[in-house]
Amino acid sequence: MPVGALAIETVGLTKRFGQQVAVNGINLAVPSGAVFGFLGPNGSGKTTSIRMLLGLTQATSGEIRVLGESMPVRLHEVLPRVGALVEGPAFYPFLSGDANLRRLDTADPHASRRTRSTRVASALERVGLSHAAGKKVGAYSLGMKQRLGIANALLQPRDLLVLDEPTNGLDPQGTREVRSLVRSLAAEGTTVFVSSHLLAEVEQMCTHAAVMSAGNIVAQGTLTQLREVGETRVRVRTPDAGTAERVLAGLGLAPVTSLPGEGEDPWVSAPLVGGAAEPELIVNALVSAGVRIRGFSIEEPSLEERFVALTGEGFDVVQ
């Protein structure tokens, strides 16, 4: 695709189930080559949106373009270029991982029988399942099944990979492996669209993100752009909280002291609105006033704070 093109674009995409609006006129813009996080609490409309993008369910209204083609009109031309893992993998439990992938590959009219063995072995190796290729899938852990689903999506070269909660059920090592795999695919030029409710994963894996809440996109852009909307704060841990508050107020800040735990010093914090003071000047002013500094930090705005403010809901931040 041309540089600067969009791998996924929607205009007013809407899905209703009777009177219920599951997806409410969303405008997605996923740059080609990006690792795009589609982030939101469970039930916010992420999976329904993905199903419409892939032609698995019909939109009530709106427009969809995937890899530059109108969907679902150009479905048969687009889908061979797209790998997807949606709503968890489904396999025959009595067959091995290798046999499952072979069956799925056989069902693909675009797949070459001549190179099937090589492609299946390569896909299993890429997701770290070569050692379990001959093992029945019924004996796989949830994380292994998840990785097998990703292997299925990688049986053919893909311009776009759509992953719905790809780290679901993975242990920390498996999560790192999937994260590394996503990065390597992006480095090769594949656009990766990752749906997730895990903030930590999006922050470590993605270059861009959109935030869904109750069927609406409430924010979209690069991770840097999303963070910039938040608030940078200065935090000082000191037994001289009252003096520290007066010093920070004298610098034009609005300090607040948090209640300390037993045996701990309080933290005094204040937003650095518009770069009100340089950290060096703050420290110098505190020391000059006799404030004993036991801890000092400048906290950049976090995605967690931004997303909770946008959606009114908490997010899972650890795996």
Side-chain angles (χ1 to χ4, degrees):
M1 294 184 68
V3 176
L6 294 178
I8 298 174
E9 181 180 14
T10 70
V11 179
L13 185 61
T14 300
K15 180 65 176 179
R16 293 188 181 90
F17 296 99
Q19 297 300 312
Q20 180 186 358
V21 180
V23 178
N24 187 24
I26 66 172
N27 299 320
L28 265 175
V30 179
S32 179
V35 180
F36 193 98
F38 197 38
L39 184 59
N42 291 326
S44 58
K46 302 188 305 294
T47 297
T48 300
S49 299
I50 288 174
R51 290 177 63 82
M52 287 189 286
L53 294 177
L54 298 175
L56 298 174
T57 189
Q58 186 173 357
T60 303
S61 61
E63 300 176 14
I64 304 171
R65 294 185 70 82
V66 176
L67 299 176
E69 303 285 355
S70 180
M71 290 284 282
V73 177
R74 303 280 291 173
L75 183 73
H76 296 294
E77 289 78 16
V78 171
L79 287 189
R81 302 167 59 194
V82 179
L85 174 63
V86 182
E87 295 184 322
F91 298 104
Y92 292 104
F94 52 86
L95 294 179
S96 68
D98 180 274
N100 266 283
L101 291 190
R102 287 174 180 273
R103 284 183 69 94
L104 290 166
D105 194 68
T106 301
D108 184 350
H110 302 278
S112 168
R113 179 179 179 180
R114 182 168 49 85
T115 60
R116 180 165 297 141
S117 295
T118 301
R119 288 184 289 103
V120 167
S122 176
L124 287 168
E125 181 180 4
R126 198 153 196 191
V127 299
L129 285 178
S130 295
H131 68 286
K135 187 176 181 179
K136 289 184 179 180
V137 169
Y140 277 23
S141 67
L142 177 59
M144 292 171 71
K145 291 176 183 176
Q146 198 75 358
R147 280 189 277 165
L148 188 63
I150 297 174
N152 177 48
L154 296 174
L155 284 173
Q156 297 277 17
R158 308 295 186 184
D159 295 318
L160 171 64
L161 192 62
V162 178
L163 304 176
D164 189 12
E165 302 284 358
T167 58
N168 181 40
L170 297 184
D171 59 20
Q173 177 61 31
T175 298
R176 285 191 293 270
E177 290 170 359
V178 170
R179 191 186 305 145
S180 176
L181 173 61
V182 166
R183 288 187 186 129
S184 69
L185 289 167
E188 294 168 7
T190 301
T191 303
V192 185
F193 185 86
V194 183
S195 168
S196 181
H197 65 283
L198 297 170
L199 279 170
E201 284 310 299
V202 169
E203 287 196 89
Q204 295 181 62
M205 193 188 307
C206 299
T207 58
H208 298 68
V211 186
M212 285 285 286
S213 177
N216 297 280
I217 291 181
V218 292
Q220 184 171 198
T222 66
L223 293 195
T224 300
Q225 289 170 335
L226 293 175
R227 288 192 187 99
E228 284 175 348
V229 182
E231 190 175 70
T232 301
R233 300 181 67 86
V234 59
R235 297 184 76 231
V236 183
R237 186 164 65 90
T238 175
D240 308 311
T243 305
E245 279 198 21
R246 288 193 294 272
V247 170
L248 294 179
L251 293 172
L253 304 179
V256 175
T257 298
S258 61
L259 294 175
E262 186 176 350
E264 297 179 351
D265 293 320
W267 283 94
V268 181
S269 64
L272 291 176
V273 180
E278 294 294 327
E280 295 84 356
L281 295 177
I282 295 174
V283 172
N284 184 61
L286 290 167
V287 172
S288 297
V291 174
R292 291 167 289 175
I293 300 176
R294 305 264 171 88
F296 182 89
S297 64
I298 300 295
E299 295 188 348
E300 297 296 330
S302 71
L303 287 180
E304 179 184 1
E305 292 169 342
R306 175 62 175 147
F307 294 161
V308 170
L310 286 166
T311 66
E313 300 187 47
F315 281 72
D316 295 329
V317 294
V318 295
Q319 181 70 21

